Amino acid sequence: MPETGAPSRLPTNQVFDVLVIGGGITGAWTALDCTLRGLSTVLVEKADFGSATSMRSSRLLHGGIRYLQQLEFGKVRESSRERSFLTRSAPHLVKHIPFVVPTYPGIRQGRAFLYSGMLAYRILALGTSAVLRDPATRAPSDRGISRQAIKDQGLIHDEAITGGRILYEAQVHSSERMTLGVIERARASGAVALNYAVMDHYRITDNKVSGVWVRDLIDGEAGEIRSQIVINAAGPWCDHVNQTASLHRLNTGFARGAHILTRALLNHYAVALPSAFQSDGLATRGHRHVFVIPWRNRSLIGTSYMESDEPSDSLVPTDSEISQLVDTVNSGLPQAKLSHNDVLQSFVGYYPLQSASIRQGVYQGTGEYRLVDHALTDGTEGLVTALGAKFTTARRLGEMAAQLAEKKIGRTAHSRRYPTRNVQIQGGDIADLASFQKRMLEKYSGLWSESTCRYLISCYGSRIHEIAKLCRDRPALNRPLAKSQDTIAAQVVYAATSESVMHLTDILLRRTDLCLLGHPGDPVLNDCAELAAATLGWSENQRLAELELIRTELARSIPAAPTE
Ligand SMILES: Cc1cc2nc3c(=O)[nH]c(=O)nc-3n(C[C@H](O)[C@H](O)[C@H](O)COP(=O)(O)OP(=O)(O)OC[C@H]3O[C@@H](n4cnc5c(N)ncnc54)[C@H](O)[C@@H]3O)c2cc1C
């Protein structure tokens, strides 16, 4: 938190071209695209950047094969292409995970059907990874795996299995740092981005939106920020935001999707386990799957599914959501013997639903983003809603929203058309990942162990030099903070100095992963609070309040085992 008496953060004396509401991945790409088109842009986020749905996903950049079974061929290609753009924008943040897709006797689950599906996918996705000039960043081809190998690895316990294929999906090391990296890149190009600044209501005159009323949650200031166009990228909260202008709703309901993080259950493979929930896919045998995905030497397990009327601000799973996941794992992987005690961390996010009638217990997430010009739907000029459906396609939605804003302002003549297709986010300017890693390991061999150096590359990419400089200038910061983690004290100080930190939770859950991967223990929390307090000039009372905040957050998201 900044010192009191600091000048107001709210830019109330300027008229921007575009104001973006929401600093999740959709708002982040929208702000970057607008900025690179030369539009003056401001973004307001009511909490921390990327702290809502965007940090509660399965962390996959979908290659699009999931849309093949819904016969959505356009989406297959779009998803695959977007995966490539995102990978190129931040190669250090993306890796490929092998998913085991089993085959069974019969036609729709059989080997020939699966192989034909993979073939169709390869044809549909042809050329979409051409933008990835660095071969190390391309997804490996799918390959077969025998029934025996699946059994030997303990991957799936089903005697009916006849074999399977391995399909590679891209995984984001840190969605939190990817969202921040996009925002930092927008800032570097001139955007203003404020976290902990909540949009209260629209400024409307003669059916035209010309800005928003914003409250700064850090210093309590409030004021109007004016803009020619407002883009509502508030994710599941977009209707709530639009209600302040009595606009029609986009969503008919919501579904909660929970994940739990546990000890590693499988080696390096990801598997899909059938759950009690139904879905409409062609090859899923009517069951929605729960995925067990390797992530950060642990297993990320999700998602559960539960309908909900409105998205809440409290994004922690209920006991029953956690039980759904634990039970599904224990029935699909009995050797796991999972219990609530194994839950290291848990998250919940909301899928916006748009079906005319919500069918109870049937997964109806469409993966379909929406871009709405409210001049056409409500007769309200100057307002666009960009409702994201996938982390993977957020860049594309941001691009379309920026194009629409540019058109509405009447500035199309002077701009480049697709500026974010070639962009590298902060830290992502790495042409050849393997040789970059090799050079960094050599250069910093005297400073860090190989494992710490690799970890820091995956967090900061080309900005690793800034962490190295801090460690050289202040050697006392070059020390690990928690046992069996590579996070070092310099990262806390770097975050507090250079990464828009307002609260200790921002450092522990998003700039670093000290609390994202489980409870690091009270001594680590105290250590980090002291480092942050010294860097940000917090008073003793503030330091204690920040500690209380993170302890409360952890108590909610890391549940104790229910008493028998
Ligand atoms: C369980 C689950 C798993 C998923 N898994 C995947 C996956 O593996 N791969 C994938 O591609 N996609 C996945 N998705 C989808 C993906 O996570 C979302 O589409 C994406 O994160 C949405 O981003 P967003 O920016 O639109 O929304 P959000 O991240 O929710 O951002 C909206 C922001 O608006 C802010 N806001 C709201 N109201 C206001 C206000 N009044 N003033 C200022 N700010 C405001 C919120 O605080 C929030 O930060 C998953 C989704 C769920 C729910």
Side-chain angles (χ1 to χ4, degrees):
M1 226 182 269
E3 284 175 49
T4 47
S8 168
R9 294 193 304 154
L10 301 182
T12 47
N13 52 4
Q14 181 185 346
V15 181
F16 289 88
D17 291 325
V18 178
L19 182 145
V20 179
I21 304 167
I25 194 66
T26 305
W29 278 113
T30 303
L32 176 55
D33 206 301
C34 288
T35 307
L36 294 179
R37 281 165 200 271
L39 303 174
S40 59
T41 305
V42 56
L43 177 149
V44 292
E45 162 55 51
K46 74 175 177 186
D48 189 22
F49 300 127
S51 60
T53 325
S54 298
M55 69 172 287
R56 283 147 216 284
S57 85
S58 306
R59 296 163 189 275
L60 299 174
L61 300 180
H62 301 296
I65 194 154
R66 53 176 27 222
Y67 301 121
L68 193 59
Q69 62 163 331
Q70 291 147 6
L71 307 179
E72 300 253 24
F73 303 130
K75 274 164 73 177
V76 173
R77 215 174 148 69
E78 178 185 66
S79 206
S80 177
R81 197 179 58 157
E82 288 305 315
R83 173 176 73 175
S84 299
F85 287 139
L86 295 197
T87 305
R88 188 171 59 177
S89 77
H92 61 294
L93 283 175
V94 180
K95 67 187 248 190
H96 293 100
I97 301 288
F99 275 70
V100 179
V101 185
T103 53
Y104 296 88
I107 295 178
R108 267 174 51 179
Q109 296 281 303
R111 229 178 266 178
F113 190 82
L114 180 60
Y115 188 72
S116 320
M118 295 290 190
L119 204 62
Y121 172 70
R122 272 187 246 153
I123 293 167
L124 282 168
L126 209 64
T128 53
S129 58
V131 296
L132 294 172
R133 290 199 195 98
D134 176 0
T137 57
R138 290 196 193 145
S141 299
D142 60 278
R143 60 184 165 87
I145 180 167
S146 68
R147 175 177 195 268
Q148 196 55 46
I150 292 178
K151 283 186 87 175
D152 291 349
Q153 300 262 1
L155 297 174
I156 297 166
H157 292 258
D158 189 339
E159 283 305 316
I161 285 177
T162 56
R165 288 198 82 73
I166 305 285
L167 165 75
Y168 288 84
E169 277 280 49
Q171 181 186 60
V172 189
H173 169 83
S174 165
S175 335
E176 299 73 21
R177 293 204 64 85
M178 186 172 265
T179 307
L180 181 74
V182 179
I183 286 177
E184 292 291 350
R185 181 68 182 78
R187 274 190 173 144
S189 303
V192 176
L194 303 173
N195 50 357
Y196 297 99
V198 61
M199 173 274 189
D200 193 74
H201 58 267
Y202 292 115
R203 176 185 203 259
I204 307 182
T205 11
D206 299 331
N207 283 337
K208 178 167 185 346
V209 171
S210 56
V212 300
W213 186 266
V214 176
R215 238 172 335 114
D216 185 336
L217 300 178
I218 299 301
D219 63 11
E221 292 274 322
E224 262 178 3
I225 307 182
R226 284 167 297 152
S227 65
Q228 297 202 56
I229 302 288
V230 173
I231 300 177
N232 172 358
W237 295 271
C238 70
D239 287 327
H240 183 77
V241 163
N242 284 345
Q243 244 168 26
T244 65
S246 308
L247 303 176
H248 85 275
R249 288 179 67 90
L250 263 60
N251 301 301
T252 52
F254 298 87
R256 287 165 61 92
H259 284 93
I260 53 175
L261 190 69
T262 68
R263 62 186 147 84
L265 301 183
L266 300 168
N267 296 335
H268 61 291
Y269 289 107
V271 297
L273 306 172
S275 74
F277 291 96
Q278 296 174 334
S279 92
D280 296 333
L282 198 66
T284 47
R285 296 199 295 182
H287 285 295
R288 175 168 163 70
H289 286 98
V290 163
F291 289 94
V292 180
I293 306 171
W295 181 63
R296 318 292 297 277
N297 299 322
R298 291 159 179 77
S299 283
L300 181 64
I301 301 167
T303 61
S304 63
Y305 187 79
M306 191 167 85
E307 285 85 9
S308 157
D309 290 340
E310 287 297 329
S312 120
D313 277 341
S314 164
L315 299 174
V316 286
T318 60
D319 264 357
S320 110
E321 285 170 317
I322 291 178
S323 294
Q324 267 182 35
L325 295 171
V326 169
D327 293 349
T328 304
V329 170
N330 284 335
S331 94
L333 295 172
Q335 82 278 20
K337 295 190 173 44
L338 210 61
S339 80
H340 283 239
N341 277 332
D342 292 308
V343 176
L344 302 171
Q345 189 46 284
S346 66
F347 322 90
V348 101
Y350 284 86
Y351 302 101
L353 302 177
Q354 282 120 37
S355 336
S357 58
I358 307 274
R359 282 173 292 149
Q360 289 288 315
V362 180
Y363 172 70
Q364 290 156 83
T366 60
E368 201 82 69
Y369 51 74
R370 291 186 66 189
L371 184 65
V372 177
D373 180 347
H374 291 278
L376 306 178
T377 56
D378 300 88
T380 303
E381 253 308 341
L383 179 63
V384 168
T385 294
L387 174 60
K390 287 284 159 199
F391 197 95
T392 313
T393 49
R395 189 214 64 84
R396 173 68 184 134
L397 176 58
E399 178 177 89
M400 289 164 63
Q403 271 181 318
L404 181 56
E406 194 179 41
K407 190 168 148 216
K408 287 174 89 63
I409 295 172
R411 291 260 198 91
T412 45
H414 308 292
S415 61
R416 289 148 60 202
R417 287 181 66 212
Y418 301 115
T420 50
R421 293 189 185 184
N422 296 311
V423 84
Q424 262 123 13
I425 68 170
Q426 292 305 79
D429 46 338
I430 299 167
D432 177 336
L433 186 60
S435 72
F436 176 77
Q437 284 167 331
K438 189 163 172 279
R439 272 187 287 121
M440 293 308 105
L441 287 170
E442 277 165 18
K443 181 168 180 168
Y444 295 126
S445 60
L447 202 56
W448 300 312
S449 69
E450 175 171 345
S451 131
T452 300
C453 188
R454 284 191 185 281
Y455 168 72
L456 293 173
I457 293 169
S458 65
C459 295
Y460 300 96
S462 62
R463 292 192 133 189
I464 191 173
H465 304 302
E466 295 173 34
I467 304 292
K469 182 171 183 318
L470 194 52
C471 288
R472 288 202 165 123
D473 291 349
R474 296 172 61 185
L477 295 177
N478 192 14
R479 60 178 169 91
L481 282 165
K483 248 198 231 153
S484 70
Q485 274 203 33
D486 286 309
T487 315
I488 55 174
Q491 291 180 258
V492 174
V493 173
Y494 181 74
T497 326
S498 315
E499 296 191 324
S500 314
V501 161
M502 297 291 161
H503 292 290
L504 187 60
T505 45
D506 305 339
I507 298 178
L508 296 175
L509 287 163
R510 286 172 289 277
R511 308 305 182 270
T512 74
D513 40 35
L514 278 162
C515 290
L516 192 68
L517 303 179
H519 198 311
D522 234 39
V524 177
L525 299 185
N526 282 321
D527 192 357
C528 293
E530 269 167 28
L531 288 166
T535 313
L536 292 166
W538 288 343
S539 66
E540 182 59 5
N541 279 348
Q542 258 175 312
R543 188 183 69 81
L544 293 175
E546 293 294 332
L547 269 172
E548 197 46 41
L549 214 61
I550 184 69
R551 286 193 188 116
T552 309
E553 179 96 19
L554 290 176
R556 285 161 57 217
S557 63
I558 308 176
T563 43
E564 297 296 316

